[in-house]
Amino acid sequence: MEGVLALMIPIVAVGGFFAWMISLSPVGKAFAERLKHGPPTGGTSEDQAELVENVEHLRREVAELAERVDFTERLLGQRKAMDQIERPKSDVAR
């Protein structure tokens, strides 16, 4: 029992020190402000509509980028296949 207590004292001291340092940091102050004022409100319906529109726009952009990546992969695959076909048989045997 004394060994466990002797081990817990420095753990609690170090943990308390770090908790105190976090409470003094900007993150700790922001967390305290959030606790004081409660959770943020959802905003107006206009804000929500704008966010939905932005998310839809981002989804379209991601889909377009995925198509471009697929196209590039196909081109690289075709080039690799063409290089294998055009390679002389003497290089393949080596």
Side-chain angles (χ1 to χ4, degrees), residues 71-85:
F71 177 74
T72 304
E73 288 175 346
R74 283 194 305 272
L75 281 179
L76 289 173
Q78 288 175 355
R79 179 177 291 170
K80 192 174 191 180
M82 292 299 290
D83 288 344
Q84 289 176 352
I85 292 171

Side-chain angles (χ1 to χ4, degrees), residues 7-45:
L7 184 63
M8 291 302 291
I9 290 173
I11 291 173
V12 170
V14 170
F17 172 75
F18 281 113
W20 177 63
M21 291 303 292
I22 289 172
S23 70
L24 295 178
S25 72
V27 172
K29 291 178 182 177
F31 185 67
E33 285 295 318
R34 172 120 187 226
L35 288 176
K36 281 183 193 176
H37 300 294
T41 60
T44 64
S45 61

Side-chain angles (χ1 to χ4, degrees), residues 38-63:
T41 60
T44 64
S45 61
E46 293 173 357
D47 293 338
Q48 290 177 351
E50 182 181 352
L51 287 174
V52 168
E53 182 181 327
N54 287 340
V55 168
E56 289 174 358
H57 178 71
L58 289 172
R59 285 184 180 171
R60 285 190 300 269
E61 286 183 2
V62 167

